[in-house]
Amino acid sequence: MAKIGRNQPCPCGSGNKYKKCCLSKEKSPPSASSPARDDFHSADDTNDSRSPYVLAKNFERSDLFAEMIRSEPRRAGLFWTPSRVAALETDTIVQRLARLGIVTTLEDFEIFAESFTSAWSVSNLWRAKFSEGRLPRHDDDFLGIAACQLWKRYCPNTPSVEMLDDWMQDGYRSMMGGDAARACDLWSAVWDVVRSRLKPTMRTCDQASSVFDGTQCLFNWIQDYCLELTNAAVAAPRYATDGIRLCEHVLGQFVDESPLFLRGFCTDLGLFHFLAGNIEDGQRVLLGVIRDNPDRAVGYARLADLLAYGPRNGDEPIDPQRARRILEEALSRPVKDAAKYDLETRLQEIRNDFA
């Protein structure tokens, strides 16, 4: 897949050209927030705010569990993990639940899907049938993971929070494998569901955590999604259209987010318009960034780069002389962070390249 050109703005949002920023950096996978424990049951753990399902997935992938499988296979075999439950036939899951005194049907889950967004919350209803301490730990784990698996099979068109997290992590794996398009396709499905559940009162990503709370927080993931759309749009313009839609949705929903967050999405909106071939719209958006942030370099730098070099490597220049004037204007103010965005060097390069 084609990548961002050396002279294009770096999609990380630094404001620097790609060749002077992330070109030489290797991507690293999202951090695992904290070490997995041999007991992922989180009922009594007040120090870890991640969902039990996330804890279960992280535990299953942990070095700790791998070592347990190697050195204590009988002990490891007591643990119910997402992969182990997923390997069971539906009838087997239902029968094991019945042995624990839980009788559930497809119709039950269709009702649950109308009232809940989390499958683990369904298992909390089941737990209420047991006196405190009566249910062994591993059976308790089975309840939660079984609820997640049955929801996936019974209600695939009404994704639970746990299903969304699985799709999101599949997207990260595609991203790490260099397949930006597949990551974006997976994440588009996640965003469609998340957005449909947002309320007007959710004006920050943190306020929207009740809609999605998974391995990655919404604040970080939505920026990763925007970045991957930029990479995908270099090769396929249709992803630029998705990027425009995402930025407009984010800017319209999370109006109380930090100025840096909002400025970043507004700048990306301008870039996506350029990538989609909407040059006039892209200029309008980025001129708006400059107007609203006259003392910040990001709008000047992004617009100048795009006018001088285009959004893709090998593009014909759009208006290099105007790009030069924009940088001269920024330096004449001067903007606060001109050095961070290397405006003087950018200006000199444009002068040299288009003498």
Side-chain angles (χ1 to χ4, degrees):
M1 174 178 288
K3 291 295 182 183
I4 298 293
R6 290 171 58 83
N7 283 313
Q8 270 61 64
C10 187
C12 75
S14 67
N16 296 319
K17 290 185 179 181
Y18 184 50
K19 67 184 179 183
K20 293 187 176 181
C21 191
C22 292
L23 179 61
S24 62
K25 299 177 183 177
E26 293 184 357
K27 288 182 181 178
S28 58
S31 63
S33 36
S34 68
R37 297 165 290 145
D38 75 332
D39 178 8
F40 55 78
H41 192 285
S42 63
D44 299 321
D45 186 353
T46 58
N47 296 319
D48 198 327
S49 60
R50 294 174 298 169
S51 72
Y53 183 67
V54 170
L55 292 173
K57 291 198 298 182
N58 285 352
F59 168 72
E60 183 174 28
R61 295 191 299 264
S62 69
D63 292 339
L64 180 67
F65 189 52
E67 173 60 23
M68 188 189 302
I69 293 173
R70 187 192 67 80
S71 60
E72 301 178 86
R74 289 190 62 187
R75 181 185 175 203
L78 297 174
F79 284 85
W80 288 102
T81 63
S83 293
R84 183 183 174 191
V85 176
L88 299 177
E89 297 290 338
T90 299
D91 286 347
T92 303
I93 296 174
V94 171
Q95 290 165 10
R96 180 169 181 84
L97 286 172
R99 288 199 295 271
L100 294 173
I102 304 299
V103 178
T104 190
T105 64
L106 166 62
E107 290 72 21
D108 292 334
F109 266 84
E110 289 175 338
I111 295 171
F112 293 148
E114 295 177 357
S115 304
F116 296 93
T117 58
S118 167
W120 205 280
S121 296
V122 173
S123 72
N124 288 336
L125 296 179
W126 298 341
R127 287 185 184 87
K129 300 176 180 290
F130 300 92
S131 303
E132 184 176 354
R134 180 183 167 191
L135 190 64
R137 182 186 68 185
H138 296 301
D139 287 341
D140 187 281
D141 293 338
F142 180 80
L143 290 189
I145 300 171
C148 295
Q149 189 59 224
L150 288 178
W151 186 308
K152 183 183 299 186
R153 299 179 188 188
Y154 286 154
C155 305
N157 297 322
T158 309
S160 65
V161 170
E162 293 82 9
M163 290 170 65
L164 295 179
D165 191 63
D166 286 343
W167 296 351
M168 186 181 289
Q169 295 312 304
D170 284 345
Y172 274 110
R173 283 185 282 275
S174 294
M175 180 189 79
M176 295 307 303
D179 192 345
R182 184 172 186 275
C184 290
D185 290 341
L186 288 163
W187 287 350
S188 175
V190 175
W191 176 243
D192 285 346
V193 176
V194 169
R195 181 171 175 259
S196 72
R197 295 173 181 175
L198 294 173
K199 299 178 181 178
T201 53
M202 297 173 179
R203 297 162 66 92
T204 68
C205 293
D206 187 59
Q207 290 170 350
S209 62
S210 60
V211 171
F212 178 81
D213 182 21
T215 306
Q216 304 296 320
C217 69
L218 188 61
F219 180 89
N220 289 340
W221 168 73
I222 205 167
Q223 294 179 83
D224 291 338
Y225 179 26
C226 191
L227 173 58
E228 283 307 290
L229 281 170
T230 303
N231 285 326
V234 171
R238 73 179 180 89
Y239 290 106
T241 302
D242 291 346
I244 291 169
R245 202 159 39 235
L246 173 69
C247 290
E248 289 177 343
H249 292 164
V250 169
L251 291 167
Q253 179 74 44
F254 300 125
V255 294
D256 288 343
E257 268 298 347
S258 69
L260 180 62
F261 177 93
L262 296 173
R263 191 161 55 241
F265 272 95
C266 199
T267 305
D268 287 337
L269 175 59
L271 171 60
F272 282 123
H273 273 298
F274 271 86
L275 285 165
N278 309 326
I279 305 303
E280 290 187 6
D281 288 335
Q283 292 185 71
R284 172 183 53 78
V285 170
L286 290 171
L287 287 172
V289 174
I290 294 172
R291 181 195 65 238
D292 296 338
N293 306 271
D295 60 344
R296 300 287 181 177
V298 60
Y300 301 96
R302 178 60 63 87
L303 182 55
D305 283 349
L306 290 167
L307 289 174
Y309 301 105
R312 294 178 176 84
N313 195 29
D315 281 352
E316 290 294 321
I318 297 172
D319 193 342
Q321 298 311 314
R322 189 177 183 205
R324 175 179 56 79
R325 292 194 298 272
I326 288 169
L327 291 178
E328 289 172 344
E329 177 189 348
L331 289 167
S332 68
R333 284 185 177 270
V335 297
K336 295 178 179 179
D337 49 354
K340 174 185 174 184
Y341 284 83
D342 214 6
L343 294 191
E344 290 188 0
T345 302
R346 289 173 187 270
L347 177 58
Q348 190 58 51
E349 286 183 346
I350 289 175
R351 286 170 173 167
N352 293 340
D353 291 342
F354 303 100

